[in-house]
Amino acid sequence: MLQYILKRLLLMLPTLFGVLLVSFIVIQFVPGGPVEQMVYQLKGRGAAESAGNTSAGTSGGAYQAARGLSEEQLSQIKTQYGFDKPAPERFWLMLKSYASFDLGESWFRHASVTQLIREKLPVSMSLGISSLLLTYLIAVPLGVAKAVRQGSRFDAATTLLLMIGYAIPSFVLGVVLLVLFGGGSFWQVFPLRGLMSDDWEMLSILGKAMDLLWHLALPVTAMVAGGFASLTMLTKNSFLEEIHKQYVTTARAKGASEKRIFWRHILRNAALPLVVGLPEAIIAAFFTGSLLIETLFSLDGLGLLAYESVIRRDYPVVLGTLYFFTLLGLIGKLLSDLGYVLLDPRVQFGAVGEKS
């Protein structure tokens, strides 16, 4: 087991290196980088000043600034953003800082990438954890009920509803919910934006919890509606597979009750795929943000941060968050694989490695 963990940890290094290398190379060819943006801003400022001076009957330096920047100014801008060094050297410096978990400083927000993640994280955590809990609380019991009532009208009707929910994009459902319940054209039941009311600081602990749930109702519903369809069908198929196995038939032949068979035998084996994927799902719920949902409901989370960083070409934020989330994803995958060993004694990674 220890040998397998060490191998997986070592395999994370080339994976992280490959992700960062490909992303860094792509960034080099994307037009409109920070240097270009600063040049355009200075040219526009010079053009505006030139127009003002011309209308006042003067001309000179401002008009010259509108034509372009000097080599010295351009060199200063490149030095400011670190583009005075060749690309391989910049990539090497980035890897060295990432090795010590120094994700760098944002070029436009005047804050470290770590600080930005820490500031935006509570919003994405609120959405992610609420969505995860609601998804499991609905999908797992529904999947079990569908497996027990396989082929019934209940099974057919719920499958139809699941497919409809799965087919509707979350942002479309979010717009519908806002129109219906956000005071768009019908009822003003839930707030339109944000996660806290104006009087948040004055509320009690229970009041703050209720206020947070009130603000989360619409965005979480929009995120969950299509998300639990796959988990429900996974639960159903997993239980159906176990129900028809030989050990269930043997237990029934020995006179065991259906309740005992379900709780002592079927549940433990059928829940294995659901429990194993839980660590990865928890990490994803903590650290991923939904761009469309956060934009639609005016929630300043990680999804919106990533989108704005890409648009503004804030490369330290883009690469820093990519590195952080990729590392967490690899750790979550490792925990999921280790969960197989802990929950199913038949799985032995060490034995498999020795045979191979």
Side-chain angles (χ1 to χ4, degrees):
M1 172 67 72
L2 181 60
Q3 184 179 4
Y4 173 78
I5 295 175
L6 292 176
K7 287 182 179 179
R8 288 293 300 270
L9 291 175
L10 291 176
L11 286 174
M12 290 182 184
L13 299 179
T15 303
L16 282 172
F17 179 82
V19 170
L20 292 175
L21 178 61
V22 172
S23 303
F24 186 84
I25 292 175
V26 170
I27 281 177
Q28 305 309 307
F29 298 98
V30 175
V35 175
E36 289 85 351
Q37 291 185 26
M38 180 62 70
V39 169
Y40 294 151
Q41 290 178 9
L42 293 177
K43 284 184 177 181
R45 188 183 307 166
E49 292 176 358
S50 174
N53 292 335
T54 302
S55 63
T58 62
S59 61
Y63 181 77
Q64 295 296 330
R67 295 180 179 177
L69 299 175
S70 65
E71 289 296 330
E72 182 181 356
Q73 290 175 311
L74 187 59
S75 177
Q76 290 177 354
I77 295 175
K78 289 183 178 180
T79 303
Q80 177 182 350
Y81 293 111
F83 284 91
D84 56 324
K85 303 180 180 66
E89 183 179 354
R90 285 188 279 116
F91 182 69
W92 171 246
L93 292 175
M94 183 186 72
L95 291 180
K96 288 178 62 177
S97 62
Y98 285 2
S100 60
F101 295 98
D102 179 10
L103 303 183
E105 299 285 330
S106 172
W107 287 338
F108 302 102
R109 296 175 180 267
H110 306 292
S112 66
V113 178
T114 304
Q115 180 182 346
L116 290 174
I117 294 176
R118 193 183 301 117
E119 290 176 355
K120 311 298 181 182
L121 188 58
V123 175
S124 297
M125 281 179 55
S126 301
L127 284 175
I129 296 176
S130 302
S131 301
L132 179 66
L133 290 176
L134 193 59
T135 298
Y136 268 81
L137 288 175
I138 296 176
V140 174
L142 181 59
V144 173
K146 287 173 65 62
V148 174
R149 304 178 187 179
Q150 165 72 3
S152 65
R153 292 182 178 179
F154 171 80
D155 183 34
T158 51
T159 300
L160 178 61
L161 292 176
L162 287 174
M163 294 302 103
I164 293 175
Y166 186 75
I168 300 176
S170 59
F171 70 92
V172 174
L173 181 59
V175 172
V176 173
L177 292 175
L178 282 177
V179 171
L180 291 177
F181 304 107
S185 301
F186 295 90
W187 304 283
Q188 178 66 54
V189 181
F190 297 100
L192 287 173
R193 57 179 59 88
L195 284 181
M196 296 178 293
S197 300
D198 296 334
D199 59 345
W200 168 266
E201 298 296 336
M202 302 177 61
L203 298 175
S204 62
I205 297 178
L206 179 60
K208 290 181 178 179
M210 296 302 297
D211 185 72
L212 181 61
L213 293 176
W214 183 48
H215 283 79
L216 284 173
L218 294 186
V220 168
T221 301
M223 292 178 63
V224 168
F228 67 85
S230 57
L231 183 60
T232 302
M233 299 309 296
L234 174 63
T235 304
K236 174 189 173 182
N237 295 331
S238 180
F239 273 83
L240 281 177
E241 182 180 357
E242 297 297 327
I243 287 174
H244 294 96
K245 284 188 175 180
Q246 185 64 39
Y247 73 87
V248 176
T249 305
T250 303
R252 286 172 178 164
K254 291 182 177 180
S257 63
E258 290 294 327
K259 183 178 296 185
R260 179 181 176 84
I261 293 173
F262 180 84
W263 291 106
R264 292 288 300 273
H265 303 286
I266 296 177
L267 180 63
R268 178 180 179 181
N269 295 322
L272 181 60
L274 308 177
V275 177
V276 165
L278 195 56
E280 195 172 358
I282 291 175
I283 291 179
F286 266 80
F287 296 102
T288 57
S290 175
L291 167 62
L292 294 174
I293 295 299
E294 290 180 6
T295 303
L296 184 62
F297 291 93
S298 300
L299 304 175
D300 191 11
L302 293 175
L304 192 59
L305 172 66
Y307 172 74
E308 291 179 348
S309 301
V310 171
I311 294 299
R312 301 186 66 180
R313 305 294 192 268
D314 196 348
Y315 297 147
V317 178
V318 174
L319 292 172
T321 53
L322 179 65
Y323 164 78
F324 185 62
F325 297 147
T326 303
L327 180 61
L328 289 175
L330 292 173
I331 294 175
K333 188 65 178 177
L334 175 60
L335 293 177
S336 297
D337 291 343
L338 294 178
Y340 273 107
V341 181
L342 297 176
L343 297 176
D344 192 347
R346 296 171 296 179
V347 178
Q348 295 293 334
F349 290 117
V352 172
E354 293 171 2
K355 290 181 181 179
S356 61

